[in-house]
Amino acid sequence: MKKEEIYAKNIVDFATVAHEYCVFTDNIEKYSKADFIKVAARLLPLLYIKASLLPENVATVLDDELEEFVDEYAYERVRRAVRSKLTRHDEYLEVFKDDMQRSEEPVPANISEDMADIYQDIKNFCEQYRLGINDIQNDAIASVSDKFRTYWGQRLCNALRALHCVLYSGDDLSDEKPATSDNDTDQLPQWAQQLISDDEE
């Protein structure tokens, strides 16, 4: 891809939302359970839309694999943080899994694993893209676009369905408190504050 294509609006928009998702998942402890679910349920559709507008079938130009920045420790940190925040609401029954082909019953799945899977591919892309080296950026776009269509896009849809169910279930989540001090909502990114407060204005 040419430099102007690498910085095309659709790609920059995706990179922006992808960065916001990473900031969100890297700072889960700052959110109450209710706010976490609300932001996730509103941020994931935006991420899906932006990813769906990425160019398809981008040819890679590098001979070597791209460096990955998310190791097993980072993946587990996100998965455990989401699981700890969602507690009993983490698990759901999934019908869009390979295991379903051999089972007559829905297969248990976890929002925490879905969100960690998304984080892994998205964070790797963000770190690769921000290097500003055209060939690496090109292959990062090719990789994240392909993985969206073949892997993490479905994980996103699965997690969103489960989060929607929790968000509108009527369960009382108000007793779930963030791990940080009072008034930390004011310290959240402005876009996150907006997602939390939209329906309260």
Side-chain angles (χ1 to χ4, degrees):
M1 297 175 70
K2 298 178 181 178
K3 185 173 182 178
E4 56 269 24
E5 295 174 317
I6 287 174
Y7 291 101
K9 185 178 186 302
N10 285 350
I11 295 173
V12 172
D13 284 351
F14 170 75
T16 300
V17 178
H19 173 72
E20 291 171 351
Y21 178 83
C22 293
V23 170
F24 173 57
T25 47
D26 281 333
N27 293 277
I28 292 172
E29 72 282 353
K30 294 183 179 180
Y31 296 82
S32 68
K33 181 176 182 177
D35 285 347
F36 172 80
I37 293 170
K38 186 182 295 185
V39 172
R42 294 175 174 180
L43 183 58
L44 287 173
L46 183 57
L47 182 61
Y48 186 95
I49 291 172
K50 297 304 182 182
S52 71
L53 297 175
L54 289 171
E56 298 184 46
N57 303 316
V58 176
T60 57
V61 295
L62 296 173
D63 294 329
D64 298 329
E65 295 289 330
L66 292 173
E67 178 183 1
E68 294 194 352
F69 293 84
V70 179
D71 56 17
E72 184 178 354
Y73 172 82
Y75 177 94
E76 276 297 302
R77 177 183 55 77
V78 171
R79 187 190 68 79
R80 290 177 185 232
V82 176
R83 184 174 180 82
S84 176
K85 185 65 63 177
L86 292 177
T87 58
R88 64 188 178 88
H89 292 106
D90 183 45
E91 186 171 285
Y92 65 97
L93 297 179
E94 187 49 67
V95 296
F96 295 107
K97 292 187 75 171
D98 293 338
D99 293 345
M100 275 297 297
Q101 298 175 9
R102 300 181 294 276
S103 173
E104 296 179 357
E105 300 294 333
V107 177
N110 299 91
I111 296 171
S112 56
E113 290 185 7
D114 292 334
M115 293 190 68
D117 285 343
I118 297 166
Y119 176 85
Q120 185 170 37
D121 286 337
I122 292 299
K123 183 72 170 182
N124 281 329
F125 164 79
C126 287
E127 294 301 321
Q128 293 156 359
Y129 188 76
R130 71 191 293 267
L131 292 174
I133 301 172
N134 284 14
D135 286 352
I136 293 177
Q137 291 173 306
N138 177 91
D139 286 12
I141 294 165
S143 176
V144 77
S145 178
D146 178 67
K147 289 178 179 178
F148 164 72
R149 291 170 172 83
T150 61
Y151 186 71
W152 66 265
Q154 185 63 65
R155 298 300 186 277
L156 186 156
C157 292
N158 296 349
L160 179 59
R161 181 173 62 84
L163 286 164
H164 175 88
C165 184
V166 174
L167 184 60
Y168 298 105
S169 66
D171 286 359
D172 182 12
L173 306 176
S174 60
D175 60 339
E176 306 278 355
K177 301 298 183 182
T180 48
S181 59
D182 294 339
N183 301 320
D184 267 342
T185 299
D186 294 337
Q187 300 175 24
L188 298 177
Q190 186 174 3
W191 59 264
Q193 294 182 44
Q194 189 68 36
L195 290 181
I196 292 169
S197 63
D198 268 353
D199 60 352
E200 298 172 356
E201 293 179 355

